[in-house]
Amino acid sequence: MLTVAEKQLFREELFRHLDGIAVAPVAYSLLKNKVIDFLLSNKESSISHIASLNNINKGYLNVALRILSSQGWLDYKINNNEVLVELNKLSTIAFSHIHLYKDVVELLEYSGKFHPRKFELEPFHKLEQLFKKHKNRFDLPISQNGTITLIQNQILKHIEGALVGPTIVHLGMGGMFHKYFMEASFSPEEYHKFPKSFDTILSFLSYLGWFSKSNGNYTFTDKGLFFAKRASAYGVTVSYIPMFRQMDSLLFGNPNILWESKSSIETHVDREMNVWGSGGAHATYFKKIDEIIISIFNKPLNQQPKGILDMGCGNGAFLIHLFEVIASKTLRGKHLDDYPLFLVGADYNKAALKVTRANLIQADIWAKVIWGDISDPDLLQKNLKDDYAIELKDLLSVRTFLDHNRIWSTPSSSIDAPSVSTGAFAYRGKRLNNDDVERNLKDHFTKWKKHITRYGLIIIELHTISPALTAKNIGKTAATAYDATHGFSDQYILEIDAFLKVLDEVGLQSDKKYFSKYPDSDLATVSINYII
């Protein structure tokens, strides 16, 4: 059994791994393209000045430098909508070690040529070389300087994360963490057709303390079980590796590269992996949502919504969960024959609609599954009324981690007070002022207001925190990874306070009785709101 201290230590390791998956490609791209040299030559610089001198896409440069700041390697501040970065006591030491990312970044790029769900021989060989380098600490000299050692360990843990993150996700999605393997010893031959190569991975994970090895067989240690049970925690960040492979283009080339594919399949994210990864975390948030749902559907029947709209229904799991809660734990559930529940799953992604429809049929739940755009609730209302004779305002609206992924449009609203957000936001490489991001969010909720004032809107939302706060709490938050995955893919995660400020300006409120944030501290990057 792990002690509380051991669990905390391993959780810190996990967060540092996630940092590494995001930081390595960003930092190495800045090094290759001489931005690091420029920063070292200029104690303080503005984003605008750096971008103009080096022909860089300013919006993504802003995201990139904020990420370095979140690791403690730069000081980052916004002054009258201009972003300034300044060297600090860690900058020179950290920047002198960025070259260590070279091999692992090249491996991430190289692996894009191979099947995303299989371990193939050529990447195996490159992995093996990197495992050896990592075990030898990349031949770094042992330092007597505590600060240098701190930075070296930080970067080595980043590299470790970029190595084990994709590995543990592939193992998790491939069934490696089935109880058959977790409860008994096993040999490489039992799992993989290339046992010698697979043994290389297991040996490295044993070096990290995840397995013990005896007579050619492997057994999970308590540490290994800890990480195996949290494999999905790596999933969302790893799912964005296709985007991180394009870092040179995003920063220094074509900022539209992620969006120019004519294929209907997303090229910047492995959506199947993303859904698998996010599913592990959702269970925690669903418990809080259940409280709100039970309260609403225990009201007198004539005061309840006619049903539920899940905007951004994904694979339908949330809608299925909500139906089961209502059916088994509420007054409405006892009267579904007389007061049927009108369920609607809406999504912009047509592939997701097919998955939702199939999952709802399998769950024997009647629901409508329709195309919808979170940025256009009026069209959604029209389609519901024309096709099903129901008003959007008669439904309880719910959504999970979606509002920050709205399609950008030039804002028309004004805001009552300037933004105090520290976020870095971009649209197709162009930098967005934080005031404009709040104005855009205000436009967004203004569109929805008339459709949700009767029964409300339940939202699970993702947030950022300041890079200075992240830097002081490395190993305690996944904020750096969130900022990278969302910043480079044109998504807009504000701090919780900024988010609530915009709601207030629209004339909407988050019911304090049901408000929750995770973790319940200043490091909160997720909130649950019942907006009325």
Side-chain angles (χ1 to χ4, degrees), residues 414-421 434-439 441-442 445 463 494-510 529:
S414 60
I415 51 176
D416 297 346
S419 173
V420 294
S421 174
N434 294 14
D435 283 358
D436 287 344
V437 172
E438 288 195 12
R439 291 171 60 210
L441 183 62
K442 188 173 181 179
F445 279 119
H463 302 282
L494 286 162
E495 292 91 337
I496 290 177
D497 288 348
F499 182 81
L500 295 176
K501 165 184 173 283
V502 171
L503 286 180
D504 185 61
E505 290 191 14
V506 175
L508 295 168
Q509 292 182 332
S510 175
N529 298 273

PDB file of all heavy atoms in Angstrom, residues 414-421 434-439 441-442 445 463 494-510 529:
ATOM      1  N   SER A 414     -19.209  45.430 -25.408  1.00  0.00           N
ATOM      2  CA  SER A 414     -18.201  46.132 -24.605  1.00  0.00           C
ATOM      3  C   SER A 414     -18.152  45.429 -23.251  1.00  0.00           C
ATOM      4  O   SER A 414     -19.080  44.718 -22.877  1.00  0.00           O
ATOM      5  CB  SER A 414     -18.570  47.602 -24.426  1.00  0.00           C
ATOM      6  OG  SER A 414     -19.827  47.707 -23.768  1.00  0.00           O
ATOM      7  N   ILE A 415     -17.068  45.609 -22.521  1.00  0.00           N
ATOM      8  CA  ILE A 415     -16.992  45.039 -21.176  1.00  0.00           C
ATOM      9  C   ILE A 415     -16.919  46.167 -20.166  1.00  0.00           C
ATOM     10  O   ILE A 415     -16.386  47.248 -20.449  1.00  0.00           O
ATOM     11  CB  ILE A 415     -15.799  44.070 -21.022  1.00  0.00           C
ATOM     12  CG1 ILE A 415     -14.483  44.693 -21.502  1.00  0.00           C
ATOM     13  CG2 ILE A 415     -16.077  42.778 -21.749  1.00  0.00           C
ATOM     14  CD1 ILE A 415     -13.277  43.790 -21.280  1.00  0.00           C
ATOM     15  N   ASP A 416     -17.468  45.922 -18.987  1.00  0.00           N
ATOM     16  CA  ASP A 416     -17.591  46.968 -17.979  1.00  0.00           C
ATOM     17  C   ASP A 416     -16.254  47.349 -17.373  1.00  0.00           C
ATOM     18  O   ASP A 416     -16.064  48.486 -16.929  1.00  0.00           O
ATOM     19  CB  ASP A 416     -18.546  46.510 -16.864  1.00  0.00           C
ATOM     20  CG  ASP A 416     -19.954  46.264 -17.386  1.00  0.00           C
ATOM     21  OD1 ASP A 416     -20.243  46.703 -18.511  1.00  0.00           O
ATOM     22  OD2 ASP A 416     -20.749  45.636 -16.664  1.00  0.00           O
ATOM     23  N   ALA A 417     -15.332  46.399 -17.337  1.00  0.00           N
ATOM     24  CA  ALA A 417     -14.004  46.658 -16.766  1.00  0.00           C
ATOM     25  C   ALA A 417     -12.971  45.912 -17.583  1.00  0.00           C
ATOM     26  O   ALA A 417     -13.255  44.839 -18.128  1.00  0.00           O
ATOM     27  CB  ALA A 417     -13.961  46.202 -15.308  1.00  0.00           C
ATOM     28  N   PRO A 418     -11.748  46.443 -17.714  1.00  0.00           N
ATOM     29  CA  PRO A 418     -10.714  45.758 -18.492  1.00  0.00           C
ATOM     30  C   PRO A 418     -10.450  44.357 -17.956  1.00  0.00           C
ATOM     31  O   PRO A 418     -10.615  44.079 -16.775  1.00  0.00           O
ATOM     32  CB  PRO A 418      -9.485  46.660 -18.311  1.00  0.00           C
ATOM     33  CG  PRO A 418     -10.028  47.987 -17.912  1.00  0.00           C
ATOM     34  CD  PRO A 418     -11.265  47.714 -17.131  1.00  0.00           C
ATOM     35  N   SER A 419     -10.035  43.481 -18.846  1.00  0.00           N
ATOM     36  CA  SER A 419      -9.710  42.116 -18.453  1.00  0.00           C
ATOM     37  C   SER A 419      -8.515  42.103 -17.502  1.00  0.00           C
ATOM     38  O   SER A 419      -7.567  42.859 -17.674  1.00  0.00           O
ATOM     39  CB  SER A 419      -9.380  41.274 -19.689  1.00  0.00           C
ATOM     40  OG  SER A 419      -8.902  40.002 -19.309  1.00  0.00           O
ATOM     41  N   VAL A 420      -8.594  41.247 -16.521  1.00  0.00           N
ATOM     42  CA  VAL A 420      -7.453  41.033 -15.628  1.00  0.00           C
ATOM     43  C   VAL A 420      -6.863  39.647 -15.863  1.00  0.00           C
ATOM     44  O   VAL A 420      -6.032  39.173 -15.096  1.00  0.00           O
ATOM     45  CB  VAL A 420      -7.856  41.189 -14.145  1.00  0.00           C
ATOM     46  CG1 VAL A 420      -8.262  42.624 -13.856  1.00  0.00           C
ATOM     47  CG2 VAL A 420      -9.000  40.233 -13.780  1.00  0.00           C
ATOM     48  N   SER A 421      -7.286  38.989 -16.950  1.00  0.00           N
ATOM     49  CA  SER A 421      -6.779  37.656 -17.264  1.00  0.00           C
ATOM     50  C   SER A 421      -5.308  37.719 -17.646  1.00  0.00           C
ATOM     51  O   SER A 421      -4.842  38.695 -18.243  1.00  0.00           O
ATOM     52  CB  SER A 421      -7.579  37.054 -18.420  1.00  0.00           C
ATOM     53  OG  SER A 421      -7.008  35.812 -18.826  1.00  0.00           O
ATOM     54  N   ASN A 434      -6.762  40.255 -24.521  1.00  0.00           N
ATOM     55  CA  ASN A 434      -7.583  39.602 -23.511  1.00  0.00           C
ATOM     56  C   ASN A 434      -8.923  40.297 -23.323  1.00  0.00           C
ATOM     57  O   ASN A 434      -9.928  39.654 -23.017  1.00  0.00           O
ATOM     58  CB  ASN A 434      -6.807  39.523 -22.198  1.00  0.00           C
ATOM     59  CG  ASN A 434      -5.596  38.612 -22.313  1.00  0.00           C
ATOM     60  OD1 ASN A 434      -5.189  38.244 -23.403  1.00  0.00           O
ATOM     61  ND2 ASN A 434      -5.014  38.231 -21.192  1.00  0.00           N
ATOM     62  N   ASP A 435      -8.947  41.610 -23.509  1.00  0.00           N
ATOM     63  CA  ASP A 435     -10.229  42.322 -23.476  1.00  0.00           C
ATOM     64  C   ASP A 435     -11.174  41.761 -24.534  1.00  0.00           C
ATOM     65  O   ASP A 435     -12.375  41.560 -24.279  1.00  0.00           O
ATOM     66  CB  ASP A 435     -10.028  43.821 -23.736  1.00  0.00           C
ATOM     67  CG  ASP A 435      -9.496  44.568 -22.522  1.00  0.00           C
ATOM     68  OD1 ASP A 435      -9.326  43.930 -21.459  1.00  0.00           O
ATOM     69  OD2 ASP A 435      -9.240  45.780 -22.639  1.00  0.00           O
ATOM     70  N   ASP A 436     -10.627  41.500 -25.729  1.00  0.00           N
ATOM     71  CA  ASP A 436     -11.470  41.003 -26.821  1.00  0.00           C
ATOM     72  C   ASP A 436     -11.953  39.582 -26.555  1.00  0.00           C
ATOM     73  O   ASP A 436     -13.062  39.217 -26.955  1.00  0.00           O
ATOM     74  CB  ASP A 436     -10.696  41.051 -28.144  1.00  0.00           C
ATOM     75  CG  ASP A 436     -10.529  42.468 -28.672  1.00  0.00           C
ATOM     76  OD1 ASP A 436     -11.258  43.363 -28.193  1.00  0.00           O
ATOM     77  OD2 ASP A 436      -9.673  42.683 -29.551  1.00  0.00           O
ATOM     78  N   VAL A 437     -11.137  38.777 -25.891  1.00  0.00           N
ATOM     79  CA  VAL A 437     -11.568  37.420 -25.559  1.00  0.00           C
ATOM     80  C   VAL A 437     -12.747  37.474 -24.587  1.00  0.00           C
ATOM     81  O   VAL A 437     -13.730  36.732 -24.736  1.00  0.00           O
ATOM     82  CB  VAL A 437     -10.402  36.602 -24.971  1.00  0.00           C
ATOM     83  CG1 VAL A 437     -10.891  35.249 -24.446  1.00  0.00           C
ATOM     84  CG2 VAL A 437      -9.320  36.399 -26.024  1.00  0.00           C
ATOM     85  N   GLU A 438     -12.681  38.362 -23.606  1.00  0.00           N
ATOM     86  CA  GLU A 438     -13.810  38.507 -22.680  1.00  0.00           C
ATOM     87  C   GLU A 438     -15.030  39.067 -23.398  1.00  0.00           C
ATOM     88  O   GLU A 438     -16.168  38.653 -23.136  1.00  0.00           O
ATOM     89  CB  GLU A 438     -13.414  39.405 -21.505  1.00  0.00           C
ATOM     90  CG  GLU A 438     -12.446  38.733 -20.546  1.00  0.00           C
ATOM     91  CD  GLU A 438     -12.328  39.461 -19.213  1.00  0.00           C
ATOM     92  OE1 GLU A 438     -13.156  40.363 -18.934  1.00  0.00           O
ATOM     93  OE2 GLU A 438     -11.408  39.122 -18.446  1.00  0.00           O
ATOM     94  N   ARG A 439     -14.828  40.004 -24.314  1.00  0.00           N
ATOM     95  CA  ARG A 439     -15.950  40.558 -25.087  1.00  0.00           C
ATOM     96  C   ARG A 439     -16.599  39.467 -25.932  1.00  0.00           C
ATOM     97  O   ARG A 439     -17.830  39.388 -26.045  1.00  0.00           O
ATOM     98  CB  ARG A 439     -15.462  41.694 -25.982  1.00  0.00           C
ATOM     99  CG  ARG A 439     -15.028  42.958 -25.228  1.00  0.00           C
ATOM    100  CD  ARG A 439     -14.351  43.956 -26.166  1.00  0.00           C
ATOM    101  NE  ARG A 439     -15.259  44.363 -27.227  1.00  0.00           N
ATOM    102  CZ  ARG A 439     -14.867  44.719 -28.457  1.00  0.00           C
ATOM    103  NH1 ARG A 439     -13.579  44.681 -28.779  1.00  0.00           N
ATOM    104  NH2 ARG A 439     -15.739  45.113 -29.348  1.00  0.00           N
ATOM    105  N   LEU A 441     -16.595  36.247 -25.284  1.00  0.00           N
ATOM    106  CA  LEU A 441     -17.340  35.368 -24.381  1.00  0.00           C
ATOM    107  C   LEU A 441     -18.659  36.011 -23.966  1.00  0.00           C
ATOM    108  O   LEU A 441     -19.687  35.337 -23.841  1.00  0.00           O
ATOM    109  CB  LEU A 441     -16.494  35.038 -23.146  1.00  0.00           C
ATOM    110  CG  LEU A 441     -17.116  34.059 -22.144  1.00  0.00           C
ATOM    111  CD1 LEU A 441     -17.349  32.698 -22.786  1.00  0.00           C
ATOM    112  CD2 LEU A 441     -16.237  33.917 -20.904  1.00  0.00           C
ATOM    113  N   LYS A 442     -18.637  37.320 -23.782  1.00  0.00           N
ATOM    114  CA  LYS A 442     -19.868  38.039 -23.437  1.00  0.00           C
ATOM    115  C   LYS A 442     -20.878  37.943 -24.582  1.00  0.00           C
ATOM    116  O   LYS A 442     -22.077  37.703 -24.351  1.00  0.00           O
ATOM    117  CB  LYS A 442     -19.551  39.500 -23.122  1.00  0.00           C
ATOM    118  CG  LYS A 442     -20.739  40.288 -22.574  1.00  0.00           C
ATOM    119  CD  LYS A 442     -20.305  41.678 -22.124  1.00  0.00           C
ATOM    120  CE  LYS A 442     -21.494  42.455 -21.547  1.00  0.00           C
ATOM    121  NZ  LYS A 442     -21.076  43.809 -21.078  1.00  0.00           N
ATOM    122  N   PHE A 445     -22.419  34.327 -24.458  1.00  0.00           N
ATOM    123  CA  PHE A 445     -23.460  34.076 -23.462  1.00  0.00           C
ATOM    124  C   PHE A 445     -24.684  34.967 -23.667  1.00  0.00           C
ATOM    125  O   PHE A 445     -25.792  34.584 -23.279  1.00  0.00           O
ATOM    126  CB  PHE A 445     -22.894  34.239 -22.053  1.00  0.00           C
ATOM    127  CG  PHE A 445     -22.155  33.022 -21.569  1.00  0.00           C
ATOM    128  CD1 PHE A 445     -20.812  33.082 -21.247  1.00  0.00           C
ATOM    129  CD2 PHE A 445     -22.803  31.805 -21.448  1.00  0.00           C
ATOM    130  CE1 PHE A 445     -20.128  31.955 -20.807  1.00  0.00           C
ATOM    131  CE2 PHE A 445     -22.138  30.669 -21.020  1.00  0.00           C
ATOM    132  CZ  PHE A 445     -20.796  30.749 -20.700  1.00  0.00           C
ATOM    133  N   HIS A 463     -10.246  25.997 -17.173  1.00  0.00           N
ATOM    134  CA  HIS A 463      -9.712  27.339 -16.931  1.00  0.00           C
ATOM    135  C   HIS A 463      -8.189  27.343 -16.915  1.00  0.00           C
ATOM    136  O   HIS A 463      -7.547  26.293 -16.789  1.00  0.00           O
ATOM    137  CB  HIS A 463     -10.228  27.868 -15.587  1.00  0.00           C
ATOM    138  CG  HIS A 463     -11.711  27.917 -15.495  1.00  0.00           C
ATOM    139  ND1 HIS A 463     -12.469  28.906 -16.076  1.00  0.00           N
ATOM    140  CD2 HIS A 463     -12.599  27.071 -14.894  1.00  0.00           C
ATOM    141  CE1 HIS A 463     -13.754  28.680 -15.846  1.00  0.00           C
ATOM    142  NE2 HIS A 463     -13.850  27.571 -15.128  1.00  0.00           N
ATOM    143  N   LEU A 494     -10.177  30.962 -19.815  1.00  0.00           N
ATOM    144  CA  LEU A 494      -9.965  32.089 -18.914  1.00  0.00           C
ATOM    145  C   LEU A 494      -9.848  31.602 -17.472  1.00  0.00           C
ATOM    146  O   LEU A 494     -10.271  30.489 -17.142  1.00  0.00           O
ATOM    147  CB  LEU A 494     -11.145  33.057 -19.008  1.00  0.00           C
ATOM    148  CG  LEU A 494     -11.256  33.930 -20.261  1.00  0.00           C
ATOM    149  CD1 LEU A 494     -12.668  34.468 -20.387  1.00  0.00           C
ATOM    150  CD2 LEU A 494     -10.256  35.072 -20.218  1.00  0.00           C
ATOM    151  N   GLU A 495      -9.321  32.433 -16.603  1.00  0.00           N
ATOM    152  CA  GLU A 495      -9.358  32.146 -15.179  1.00  0.00           C
ATOM    153  C   GLU A 495     -10.815  32.112 -14.708  1.00  0.00           C
ATOM    154  O   GLU A 495     -11.699  32.715 -15.332  1.00  0.00           O
ATOM    155  CB  GLU A 495      -8.599  33.215 -14.388  1.00  0.00           C
ATOM    156  CG  GLU A 495      -7.098  33.216 -14.613  1.00  0.00           C
ATOM    157  CD  GLU A 495      -6.634  34.106 -15.734  1.00  0.00           C
ATOM    158  OE1 GLU A 495      -7.444  34.424 -16.646  1.00  0.00           O
ATOM    159  OE2 GLU A 495      -5.454  34.481 -15.742  1.00  0.00           O
ATOM    160  N   ILE A 496     -11.068  31.408 -13.617  1.00  0.00           N
ATOM    161  CA  ILE A 496     -12.434  31.301 -13.104  1.00  0.00           C
ATOM    162  C   ILE A 496     -13.016  32.678 -12.808  1.00  0.00           C
ATOM    163  O   ILE A 496     -14.170  32.970 -13.175  1.00  0.00           O
ATOM    164  CB  ILE A 496     -12.479  30.419 -11.835  1.00  0.00           C
ATOM    165  CG1 ILE A 496     -12.199  28.962 -12.204  1.00  0.00           C
ATOM    166  CG2 ILE A 496     -13.834  30.526 -11.135  1.00  0.00           C
ATOM    167  CD1 ILE A 496     -12.155  28.011 -11.021  1.00  0.00           C
ATOM    168  N   ASP A 497     -12.252  33.542 -12.170  1.00  0.00           N
ATOM    169  CA  ASP A 497     -12.761  34.873 -11.831  1.00  0.00           C
ATOM    170  C   ASP A 497     -13.148  35.657 -13.082  1.00  0.00           C
ATOM    171  O   ASP A 497     -14.171  36.365 -13.090  1.00  0.00           O
ATOM    172  CB  ASP A 497     -11.717  35.651 -11.024  1.00  0.00           C
ATOM    173  CG  ASP A 497     -11.566  35.125  -9.609  1.00  0.00           C
ATOM    174  OD1 ASP A 497     -12.426  34.324  -9.184  1.00  0.00           O
ATOM    175  OD2 ASP A 497     -10.597  35.505  -8.932  1.00  0.00           O
ATOM    176  N   ALA A 498     -12.351  35.564 -14.119  1.00  0.00           N
ATOM    177  CA  ALA A 498     -12.657  36.275 -15.366  1.00  0.00           C
ATOM    178  C   ALA A 498     -13.920  35.711 -16.010  1.00  0.00           C
ATOM    179  O   ALA A 498     -14.758  36.450 -16.540  1.00  0.00           O
ATOM    180  CB  ALA A 498     -11.476  36.185 -16.325  1.00  0.00           C
ATOM    181  N   PHE A 499     -14.063  34.397 -15.951  1.00  0.00           N
ATOM    182  CA  PHE A 499     -15.249  33.731 -16.496  1.00  0.00           C
ATOM    183  C   PHE A 499     -16.512  34.191 -15.770  1.00  0.00           C
ATOM    184  O   PHE A 499     -17.514  34.552 -16.397  1.00  0.00           O
ATOM    185  CB  PHE A 499     -15.058  32.220 -16.359  1.00  0.00           C
ATOM    186  CG  PHE A 499     -16.172  31.381 -16.907  1.00  0.00           C
ATOM    187  CD1 PHE A 499     -16.253  31.105 -18.255  1.00  0.00           C
ATOM    188  CD2 PHE A 499     -17.138  30.841 -16.065  1.00  0.00           C
ATOM    189  CE1 PHE A 499     -17.276  30.314 -18.767  1.00  0.00           C
ATOM    190  CE2 PHE A 499     -18.163  30.047 -16.556  1.00  0.00           C
ATOM    191  CZ  PHE A 499     -18.223  29.782 -17.919  1.00  0.00           C
ATOM    192  N   LEU A 500     -16.458  34.209 -14.444  1.00  0.00           N
ATOM    193  CA  LEU A 500     -17.625  34.627 -13.659  1.00  0.00           C
ATOM    194  C   LEU A 500     -17.922  36.108 -13.848  1.00  0.00           C
ATOM    195  O   LEU A 500     -19.090  36.537 -13.829  1.00  0.00           O
ATOM    196  CB  LEU A 500     -17.394  34.319 -12.182  1.00  0.00           C
ATOM    197  CG  LEU A 500     -17.283  32.832 -11.818  1.00  0.00           C
ATOM    198  CD1 LEU A 500     -16.959  32.660 -10.338  1.00  0.00           C
ATOM    199  CD2 LEU A 500     -18.568  32.081 -12.173  1.00  0.00           C
ATOM    200  N   LYS A 501     -16.876  36.912 -14.037  1.00  0.00           N
ATOM    201  CA  LYS A 501     -17.047  38.348 -14.293  1.00  0.00           C
ATOM    202  C   LYS A 501     -17.864  38.576 -15.562  1.00  0.00           C
ATOM    203  O   LYS A 501     -18.784  39.417 -15.601  1.00  0.00           O
ATOM    204  CB  LYS A 501     -15.680  39.007 -14.420  1.00  0.00           C
ATOM    205  CG  LYS A 501     -15.663  40.405 -15.043  1.00  0.00           C
ATOM    206  CD  LYS A 501     -14.240  40.906 -15.203  1.00  0.00           C
ATOM    207  CE  LYS A 501     -14.149  42.209 -15.969  1.00  0.00           C
ATOM    208  NZ  LYS A 501     -14.317  42.046 -17.423  1.00  0.00           N
ATOM    209  N   VAL A 502     -17.568  37.815 -16.607  1.00  0.00           N
ATOM    210  CA  VAL A 502     -18.299  37.961 -17.865  1.00  0.00           C
ATOM    211  C   VAL A 502     -19.752  37.537 -17.691  1.00  0.00           C
ATOM    212  O   VAL A 502     -20.673  38.212 -18.177  1.00  0.00           O
ATOM    213  CB  VAL A 502     -17.615  37.148 -18.981  1.00  0.00           C
ATOM    214  CG1 VAL A 502     -18.474  37.115 -20.236  1.00  0.00           C
ATOM    215  CG2 VAL A 502     -16.238  37.730 -19.301  1.00  0.00           C
ATOM    216  N   LEU A 503     -19.980  36.435 -16.990  1.00  0.00           N
ATOM    217  CA  LEU A 503     -21.363  36.007 -16.734  1.00  0.00           C
ATOM    218  C   LEU A 503     -22.150  37.116 -16.046  1.00  0.00           C
ATOM    219  O   LEU A 503     -23.305  37.403 -16.408  1.00  0.00           O
ATOM    220  CB  LEU A 503     -21.375  34.754 -15.852  1.00  0.00           C
ATOM    221  CG  LEU A 503     -20.982  33.417 -16.480  1.00  0.00           C
ATOM    222  CD1 LEU A 503     -21.060  32.319 -15.429  1.00  0.00           C
ATOM    223  CD2 LEU A 503     -21.887  33.077 -17.663  1.00  0.00           C
ATOM    224  N   ASP A 504     -21.536  37.739 -15.057  1.00  0.00           N
ATOM    225  CA  ASP A 504     -22.194  38.800 -14.315  1.00  0.00           C
ATOM    226  C   ASP A 504     -22.544  39.973 -15.230  1.00  0.00           C
ATOM    227  O   ASP A 504     -23.629  40.559 -15.119  1.00  0.00           O
ATOM    228  CB  ASP A 504     -21.276  39.267 -13.173  1.00  0.00           C
ATOM    229  CG  ASP A 504     -21.942  40.296 -12.282  1.00  0.00           C
ATOM    230  OD1 ASP A 504     -22.982  39.982 -11.673  1.00  0.00           O
ATOM    231  OD2 ASP A 504     -21.423  41.431 -12.209  1.00  0.00           O
ATOM    232  N   GLU A 505     -21.643  40.303 -16.144  1.00  0.00           N
ATOM    233  CA  GLU A 505     -21.897  41.421 -17.054  1.00  0.00           C
ATOM    234  C   GLU A 505     -23.047  41.112 -18.014  1.00  0.00           C
ATOM    235  O   GLU A 505     -23.742  42.012 -18.471  1.00  0.00           O
ATOM    236  CB  GLU A 505     -20.630  41.761 -17.841  1.00  0.00           C
ATOM    237  CG  GLU A 505     -19.536  42.391 -16.978  1.00  0.00           C
ATOM    238  CD  GLU A 505     -18.401  42.964 -17.803  1.00  0.00           C
ATOM    239  OE1 GLU A 505     -18.572  43.108 -19.032  1.00  0.00           O
ATOM    240  OE2 GLU A 505     -17.349  43.282 -17.224  1.00  0.00           O
ATOM    241  N   VAL A 506     -23.248  39.821 -18.325  1.00  0.00           N
ATOM    242  CA  VAL A 506     -24.356  39.422 -19.198  1.00  0.00           C
ATOM    243  C   VAL A 506     -25.685  39.434 -18.444  1.00  0.00           C
ATOM    244  O   VAL A 506     -26.758  39.473 -19.043  1.00  0.00           O
ATOM    245  CB  VAL A 506     -24.081  38.021 -19.794  1.00  0.00           C
ATOM    246  CG1 VAL A 506     -25.258  37.512 -20.616  1.00  0.00           C
ATOM    247  CG2 VAL A 506     -22.825  38.049 -20.655  1.00  0.00           C
ATOM    248  N   GLY A 507     -25.611  39.434 -17.108  1.00  0.00           N
ATOM    249  CA  GLY A 507     -26.817  39.361 -16.301  1.00  0.00           C
ATOM    250  C   GLY A 507     -27.167  37.935 -15.930  1.00  0.00           C
ATOM    251  O   GLY A 507     -28.319  37.624 -15.603  1.00  0.00           O
ATOM    252  N   LEU A 508     -26.160  37.053 -15.971  1.00  0.00           N
ATOM    253  CA  LEU A 508     -26.342  35.669 -15.566  1.00  0.00           C
ATOM    254  C   LEU A 508     -25.549  35.422 -14.290  1.00  0.00           C
ATOM    255  O   LEU A 508     -24.581  36.126 -14.015  1.00  0.00           O
ATOM    256  CB  LEU A 508     -25.858  34.713 -16.663  1.00  0.00           C
ATOM    257  CG  LEU A 508     -26.628  34.753 -17.981  1.00  0.00           C
ATOM    258  CD1 LEU A 508     -25.875  33.982 -19.064  1.00  0.00           C
ATOM    259  CD2 LEU A 508     -28.036  34.171 -17.812  1.00  0.00           C
ATOM    260  N   GLN A 509     -25.949  34.414 -13.542  1.00  0.00           N
ATOM    261  CA  GLN A 509     -25.260  34.111 -12.293  1.00  0.00           C
ATOM    262  C   GLN A 509     -25.004  32.617 -12.173  1.00  0.00           C
ATOM    263  O   GLN A 509     -25.800  31.795 -12.629  1.00  0.00           O
ATOM    264  CB  GLN A 509     -26.089  34.559 -11.085  1.00  0.00           C
ATOM    265  CG  GLN A 509     -26.219  36.063 -10.941  1.00  0.00           C
ATOM    266  CD  GLN A 509     -27.012  36.430  -9.693  1.00  0.00           C
ATOM    267  OE1 GLN A 509     -27.865  35.675  -9.238  1.00  0.00           O
ATOM    268  NE2 GLN A 509     -26.710  37.589  -9.126  1.00  0.00           N
ATOM    269  N   SER A 510     -23.889  32.289 -11.566  1.00  0.00           N
ATOM    270  CA  SER A 510     -23.611  30.903 -11.208  1.00  0.00           C
ATOM    271  C   SER A 510     -24.153  30.678  -9.802  1.00  0.00           C
ATOM    272  O   SER A 510     -23.740  31.363  -8.860  1.00  0.00           O
ATOM    273  CB  SER A 510     -22.103  30.640 -11.248  1.00  0.00           C
ATOM    274  OG  SER A 510     -21.819  29.340 -10.793  1.00  0.00           O
ATOM    275  N   ASN A 529     -20.660  24.985 -12.901  1.00  0.00           N
ATOM    276  CA  ASN A 529     -21.573  26.101 -12.682  1.00  0.00           C
ATOM    277  C   ASN A 529     -22.986  25.722 -13.119  1.00  0.00           C
ATOM    278  O   ASN A 529     -23.177  25.140 -14.191  1.00  0.00           O
ATOM    279  CB  ASN A 529     -21.139  27.323 -13.504  1.00  0.00           C
ATOM    280  CG  ASN A 529     -19.765  27.839 -13.114  1.00  0.00           C
ATOM    281  OD1 ASN A 529     -19.627  28.646 -12.211  1.00  0.00           O
ATOM    282  ND2 ASN A 529     -18.727  27.371 -13.815  1.00  0.00           N
TER     283      ASN A 529
END
